[in-house]
Amino acid sequence: MSGTKDQAGGFSQAEREAMKARAEELRAEKGGRKKAKDLEALLAAIEEMPEGDRAIAAGLHTLVSGTAPGLDARTWYGMPAWARDGQILLFLQPSGKFGTRYSTLGFNDGAALDDGEMWPTAFAVTRLTPEVVERITGLLRRALGEGS
């Protein structure tokens, strides 16, 4: 089936086709070649990941694309990342990158997560359950300054 996830938890055929179409749209926009290449690099990096990391990264990309379509997908030190105005806002450090037991969802200083004198900017992720997706969605909206 073209609309279902592949066996390894990556993108479905329909999702891959939609992302290719978006890359083509970006190429057609004035100055969009870099964004298209960045998106393609992110998708390629995700496809090359081991199964567990790929499922998290693919799900996160889908989540970010839907929740914050104004962020630009790209890679950062070879990791999936999303930028606002050219600055990385959030990134995923897959567990396979440094052989850790969990992937790390990280936010850079452009994220509006401030909470007094101390606040978290990195979160361990082992799976994208509905509860984890809900928490990430809330963090992303907060990071964008869309509420607390």
Side-chain angles (χ1 to χ4, degrees):
M1 297 178 112
S2 65
T4 59
K5 298 284 184 202
D6 70 13
Q7 293 291 344
F11 296 112
S12 69
Q13 182 63 32
E15 289 170 324
R16 282 193 290 274
E17 289 170 8
M19 288 182 271
K20 285 179 185 175
R22 179 63 182 140
E24 288 300 320
E25 292 167 357
L26 289 171
R27 273 190 211 87
E29 293 175 9
K30 182 178 179 183
R33 285 208 183 280
K34 180 170 179 6
K35 286 183 181 182
K37 285 184 179 184
D38 287 347
L39 174 59
E40 288 172 348
L42 175 118
L43 298 176
I46 290 172
E47 288 295 324
E48 293 172 4
M49 291 178 184
E51 180 179 325
D53 287 341
R54 185 170 55 246
I56 292 170
L60 183 60
H61 178 62
T62 300
L63 171 72
V64 172
S65 296
T67 304
L71 295 182
D72 296 322
R74 56 183 283 195
T75 56
W76 188 55
Y77 296 99
M79 300 178 290
W82 296 267
R84 178 171 53 187
D85 301 325
Q87 301 297 312
I88 300 298
L89 183 75
L90 81 146
F91 62 92
L92 179 72
Q93 179 183 299
S95 63
K97 182 86 173 170
F98 298 109
T100 59
R101 65 183 179 92
Y102 52 82
S103 293
T104 301
L105 176 66
F107 291 86
N108 282 341
D109 63 344
L113 296 176
D114 304 39
D115 184 18
E117 301 299 317
M118 183 177 159
W119 57 88
T121 60
F123 302 84
V125 179
T126 58
R127 284 187 324 125
L128 283 185
T129 64
E131 294 81 16
V132 171
V133 167
E134 185 177 331
R135 287 182 67 192
I136 292 172
T137 301
L139 283 167
L140 181 55
R141 286 188 173 132
R142 187 170 161 208
L144 293 167
E146 297 177 2
S148 47

